[in-house]
C-alpha cells in the first residue's frame, strides 16, 4: 500500500485472503519478502502471517480435494490439478506436495501439458509447498509476524501500527474439516516435521 506505506507478505493458507479483503489489497499475491528489495521499501512497515505447518498442510489438502477449486470459478487447468488428488488419501497428497515437480504432475495428468505456462504450478502448488520462513527472509526486516492461531488479535495490533481502524476479518476460503491431528499417521507427521523443521523451530510450533 503506497499511501499507508505497508507491505503484506501473503503466505498461502494463512488467512491472507481475509487480510487482503479487509485492507482492500490487490496485486502481487504470494510474493516473497525478497521481491520488495528496492530501497524505496526500506521504510515500509512489513508484516505477514504464519501457521502451524501440520495444520497448514491439512488446510492445503482440503482446499485441493473439496469443491473450492470449482466453486471459486478458477479456470483450467486447476480442475485437472484437483483430479490428481481426489480419492488418493492424505499421505499421498503430503508426499506429492513436498516432492512433485511440474513434470511429475504432467505425468500424473498428461492433459496438463496442454497448458504451456507454468504460472499455475507456481501459484497453486509450489508456493503452497514453500517453507514459511523462506517467504520472509531476511526475516529480521519483517516488522510483525502474526500467528494464524491468534489472527484477529494480531490483526488488531497491525491495524494500530499502520494507523487504520480495527475491523473484524472476513473468513475467506474456509475449508470444512476435522481437527488437523486426526489426518496424520507417523509417516505423514514425520514428513511434515522434517520438511518444515525450520518453520517449526523458528516460530515455536508443536504437533
Amino acid at each position: 500500500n503506497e499511501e499507508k506505506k505497508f507491505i503484506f507478505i501473503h503466505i498461502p493458507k494463512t488467512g491472507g485472503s481475509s487480510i487482503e479483503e479487509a485492507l482492500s489489497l490487490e496485486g502481487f499475491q504470494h510474493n516473497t519478502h525478497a521481491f520488495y528489495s528496492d530501497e524505496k521499501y526500506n521504510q515500509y512497515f512489513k508484516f505477514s502471517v504464519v501457521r502451524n505447518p501440520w495444520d497448514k498442510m491439512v488446510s492445503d489438502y482440503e482446499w485441493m480435494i473439496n469443491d473450492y477449486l470449482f466453486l471459486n470459478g478458477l479456470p483450467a487447468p486447476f480442475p485437472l490439478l484437483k483430479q490428481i488428488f481426489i480419492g488418493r488419501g492424505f499421505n499421498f497428497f503430503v508426499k506429492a506436495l513436498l516432492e512433485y515437480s511440474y513434470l511429475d504432475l504432467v505425468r500424473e495428468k498428461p492433459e496438463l501439458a496442454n497448458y504451456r505456462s507454468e504460472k499455475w504450478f507456481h501459484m497453486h502448488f509450489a508456493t503452497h509447498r514453500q517453507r514459511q520462513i523462506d517467504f520472509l527472509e531476511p526475516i529480521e526486516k519483517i516488522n510483525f509476524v502474526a500467528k494464524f492461531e491468534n489472527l484477529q488479535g494480531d490483526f488488531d495490533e497491525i491495524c494500530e501500527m499502520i494507523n487504520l481502524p480495527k475491523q473484524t476479518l472476513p473468513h475467506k476460503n474456509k475449508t470444512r474439516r476435522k481437527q488437523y491431528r486426526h489426518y496424520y499417521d507417523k509417516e505423514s507427521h514425520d514428513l511434515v516435521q522434517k520438511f518444515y523443521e525450520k518453520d517449526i523451530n523458528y516460530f515455536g510450533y508443536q504437533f
Side-chain angles (χ1 to χ4, degrees):
N1 184 291
E2 297 284 353
E3 179 185 355
K4 294 291 186 178
K5 296 194 182 311
F6 67 80
I7 294 171
F8 172 51
I9 311 297
H10 181 174
I11 300 171
K13 306 310 294 177
T14 61
S17 296
S18 299
I19 289 176
E20 288 177 339
E21 180 171 311
L23 298 179
S24 300
L25 298 176
E26 296 179 357
F28 304 103
Q29 197 177 60
H30 305 334
N31 278 340
T32 66
H33 184 197
F35 177 83
Y36 303 98
S37 60
D38 193 290
E39 285 188 12
K40 79 172 187 176
Y41 297 124
N42 286 347
Q43 303 305 314
Y44 280 47
F45 181 85
K46 305 176 190 73
F47 69 97
S48 189
V49 183
V50 297
R51 184 175 189 171
N52 183 311
W54 287 284
D55 186 27
K56 182 177 179 295
M57 180 65 75
V58 171
S59 182
D60 268 310
Y61 171 68
E62 289 290 347
W63 179 79
M64 185 65 74
I65 68 165
N66 72 19
D67 287 338
Y68 174 76
L69 284 180
F70 290 130
L71 295 177
N72 200 41
L74 291 173
F78 303 112
L80 293 174
L81 184 62
K82 170 190 171 104
Q83 290 166 19
I84 293 173
F85 301 105
I86 292 176
R88 301 180 74 173
F90 180 65
N91 281 25
F92 173 79
F93 176 80
V94 172
K95 293 175 185 176
L97 186 64
L98 298 184
E99 299 173 3
Y100 270 27
S101 68
Y102 168 78
L103 292 177
D104 290 326
L105 292 174
V106 170
R107 291 188 191 101
E108 289 276 353
K109 202 72 175 175
E111 300 95 314
L112 288 170
N114 296 327
Y115 301 89
R116 296 177 182 276
S117 172
E118 294 185 25
K119 182 179 179 180
W120 63 266
F121 173 77
H122 174 76
M123 184 71 173
H124 287 282
F125 200 81
T127 59
H128 288 248
R129 166 170 60 210
Q130 191 168 348
R131 294 172 182 87
Q132 296 173 81
I133 197 169
D134 292 340
F135 267 92
L136 304 180
E137 294 290 9
I139 197 168
E140 64 272 10
K141 294 186 178 180
I142 298 290
N143 300 98
F144 193 97
V145 178
K147 292 284 187 77
F148 179 84
E149 296 75 20
N150 186 43
L151 186 57
Q152 184 64 60
D154 286 348
F155 182 66
D156 288 345
E157 287 191 51
I158 290 165
C159 288
E160 289 185 3
M161 293 174 182
I162 59 179
N163 297 313
L164 289 175
K166 294 180 183 178
Q167 57 180 300
T168 301
L169 285 168
H171 200 154
K172 299 286 290 182
N173 299 345
K174 181 178 181 180
T175 54
R176 301 177 297 274
R177 59 184 178 86
K178 298 177 291 186
Q179 207 276 345
Y180 72 86
R181 293 184 183 89
H182 292 289
Y183 288 75
Y184 285 91
D185 59 16
K186 186 178 187 307
E187 180 186 25
S188 53
H189 168 278
D190 291 352
L191 284 169
V192 171
Q193 180 169 320
K194 182 178 180 180
F195 191 89
Y196 294 107
E197 183 178 11
K198 288 170 62 178
D199 288 344
I200 292 164
N201 292 337
Y202 189 91
F203 299 115
Y205 281 115
Q206 298 178 347
F207 183 66

